[in-house]
Amino acid sequence: MVAIITMCFIFAMISFVTNMGAPFGKIWGIHYEWSKMLGNLMNFAAYLFMGIPAGKMLVKFGYKKTALIALVVGIAGLGLQYLSSVIPYEVVDGVATKPGIVNLITYLCGAFVCGFCVCMLNTVVNPMLNILGGGGNRGNQFIQIGGTMNSLTGTLTPLLTGAMIGTISASTSMSNVAPLLFIGMAVFAISFVIIAVVNIPEPQAEVKEKVGALSALKFRHTVLGVVAIFFYVGIEIGIPAQLDFYVTGLGFSGAAAVGGAFAALYWLLMMCGRFLSSFISGKISTKTQLMAVSAVAISLLLVGIFLGEGVTMDCKGILNAISVVTMNDSLAQMALNPVDVPMRCIFIAICGLCTSVMWGGIFNLAVEGLGKFTASASGLFMTMVVGGGIMPLIQEVIATNTSAIISYWLVIAMLAYILFYALVGCKNVNKDIKVD
């Protein structure tokens, strides 16, 4: 039980740090339009370099030491991001006008280092929860419980960032969100102490035979699952990021806060979905859940795309609610004016209920029957999490050249692949391979 609680705690920290990338991009995008998704890209690009090495660390050092190393790296990464707000701004005619390229590079380096941290933590927590649950539907149930904690902190990050920024302007900088970085560093430090003193099972220590880093690629359902994970993380990040940018781009007073609220709603619904799945996953198969949520998510996005922008909803209540939660009086003042946002935003945000079970479902199906190859598969999965940086960047390029709403066709295409995986691709056709 202590191990389960500890892994869920780590799961929460992963989302807290990862979800900083997109909302922080609103700050840098004011000064460098092309940089809006670069922080998110750097965070996920780290997975490409660290995924397989993280799997090897898991085998060599075990779950506990890998997690401790990751937390130290995370503190360093958040520290670098804070440093980007301390370095003197670019000076023009004796006046500090905006953050210079050095500031931006420092921030991106910090995001990249944080990517190493969350990659290592992900490599630890997913197989650990699956193993503690005994694999199968119950293993997926444990992953969904951890995912509920993950979504809770994922909800807080864009909500707090939006409240701290309020309205985007030329004077907005990383100093506006510095408290969030300090909170992150403090939580990592506390996590280090907790994990250092608790006993974490080390199932990998029982595996005597050396298993290659790419050996899990012998299994077709694992290969197709690795591709599914690549697309899934792009979906998970791309949906709320573009929703945030879309609402912020509407330009009304407090738009950044409302945009952050809609992104937070998406993550909140992810938390609700994972919480619900943690109860039903022992009874309803992972395959059935994955098929259902993929089909529903496609339907919701189609409604969001085709619903006219003229169909709106009043969001003054959202601003008032954020002002109460964050004790930000300026947001309450903004709510005095009419705040109408297209109704399609709600349908897009509801997709959080669908994406909530996808990570655990894909991972659970893709490692089913792997035995000693599970650690290898975990490393491969972490490498493909780079999709969370690449696919949202492609989506941003599409949005820039067309519109944020049109860019969701890319998300629909990725969801279609996940539906295919749930229907056909998840079947283990390599049962003749010895896994003991």
Side-chain angles (χ1 to χ4, degrees):
M1 182 56 64
V2 174
I4 292 170
I5 294 172
T6 304
M7 290 302 111
C8 291
F9 194 67
I10 292 176
F11 223 145
M13 295 308 100
I14 291 170
S15 184
F16 185 80
V17 174
T18 300
N19 283 7
M20 290 179 179
F24 283 7
K26 294 190 291 188
I27 297 174
W28 295 100
I30 285 294
H31 308 290
Y32 303 98
E33 175 64 27
W34 45 268
S35 71
K36 283 170 66 176
M37 289 301 289
L38 281 186
N40 183 72
L41 174 62
M42 293 300 288
N43 189 279
F44 283 98
Y47 282 85
L48 183 63
F49 297 95
M50 196 63 200
I52 292 176
K56 291 182 177 179
M57 286 178 65
L58 197 62
V59 174
K60 183 176 181 179
F61 300 119
Y63 288 87
K64 184 170 183 173
K65 287 184 179 178
T66 302
L68 292 175
I69 293 170
L71 292 170
V72 173
V73 172
I75 292 172
L78 291 173
L80 277 172
Q81 291 187 58
Y82 171 70
L83 186 61
S84 70
S85 68
V86 177
I87 296 174
Y89 274 22
E90 188 177 89
V91 177
V92 178
D93 295 330
V95 179
T97 57
K98 66 176 185 178
I101 291 297
V102 174
N103 301 77
L104 178 59
I105 291 175
T106 303
Y107 163 70
L108 293 177
C109 286
F112 190 66
V113 172
C114 279
F116 282 130
C117 162
V118 292
C119 178
M120 286 185 278
L121 291 178
N122 256 318
T123 307
V124 169
V125 72
N126 286 281
M128 190 72 213
L129 284 174
N130 197 54
I131 289 168
L132 289 168
N137 290 342
R138 188 161 177 78
N140 180 44
Q141 184 178 27
F142 276 41
I143 293 176
Q144 298 304 341
I145 292 171
T148 302
M149 297 297 296
N150 180 272
S151 296
L152 174 61
T153 53
T155 301
L156 293 175
T157 303
L159 183 64
L160 292 174
T161 303
M164 289 176 184
I165 294 173
T167 300
I168 288 286
S169 68
S171 62
T172 305
S173 70
M174 286 294 289
S175 59
N176 291 77
V177 295
L180 205 58
L181 296 172
F182 288 131
I183 291 172
M185 285 186 274
V187 171
F188 272 147
I190 295 169
S191 302
F192 184 93
V193 175
I194 293 173
I195 294 171
V197 298
V198 300
N199 181 40
I200 303 293
E202 299 289 352
Q204 278 305 117
E206 300 174 6
V207 178
K208 303 301 180 183
E209 182 183 347
K210 184 177 180 181
V211 177
L214 302 178
S215 55
L217 294 178
K218 299 174 183 177
F219 298 84
R220 192 197 72 167
H221 72 294
T222 301
V223 174
L224 295 177
V226 164
V227 177
I229 283 291
F230 178 86
F231 285 147
Y232 162 69
V233 187
I235 293 167
E236 180 190 88
I237 300 300
I239 290 177
Q242 280 304 321
L243 181 58
D244 194 349
F245 294 158
Y246 172 65
V247 176
T248 300
L250 295 176
F252 56 84
S253 182
V258 175
F262 272 105
L265 175 61
Y266 168 88
W267 292 105
L268 177 63
L269 290 173
M270 275 194 73
M271 181 185 70
C272 294
R274 285 172 169 172
F275 182 71
L276 177 63
S277 180
S278 68
F279 288 101
I280 68 174
S281 289
K283 301 176 181 178
I284 301 177
S285 74
T286 304
K287 181 176 180 178
T288 300
Q289 289 186 57
L290 194 58
M291 285 190 296
V293 296
S294 300
V296 172
I298 291 172
S299 301
L300 287 169
L301 287 181
L302 287 173
V303 173
I305 289 172
F306 289 110
L307 192 64
E309 194 160 288
V311 182
T312 62
M313 58 181 289
D314 186 2
C315 285
K316 288 191 292 185
I318 294 177
L319 275 177
N320 278 320
I322 300 172
S323 69
V324 172
V325 172
T326 61
M327 294 179 289
N328 189 330
D329 293 334
S330 62
L331 294 180
Q333 291 297 316
M334 295 174 189
L336 296 176
N337 301 313
V339 181
D340 292 324
V341 174
M343 183 71 75
R344 60 176 30 147
C345 297
I346 285 292
F347 289 94
I348 295 172
I350 293 174
C351 287
L353 279 173
C354 301
T355 57
S356 63
V357 301
M358 288 183 182
W359 171 274
I362 295 169
F363 186 90
N364 179 257
L365 291 172
V367 302
E368 192 66 25
L370 292 193
K372 65 185 179 184
F373 299 103
T374 300
S376 166
S378 184
L380 291 169
F381 275 112
M382 292 312 106
T383 301
M384 287 299 101
V385 172
V386 69
I390 294 175
M391 299 314 295
L393 183 62
I394 295 174
Q395 189 181 353
E396 171 62 19
V397 171
I398 295 172
T400 301
N401 290 280
T402 56
S403 70
I405 299 302
I406 294 298
S407 74
Y408 281 106
W409 282 110
L410 175 64
V411 179
I412 289 176
M414 293 188 286
L415 284 168
Y417 176 85
I418 292 177
L419 179 58
F420 154 77
Y421 182 72
L423 288 168
V424 180
C426 65
K427 183 179 180 181
N428 184 0
V429 298
N430 304 107
K431 294 183 178 180
D432 56 320
I433 300 175
K434 186 178 179 181
V435 299
D436 298 329

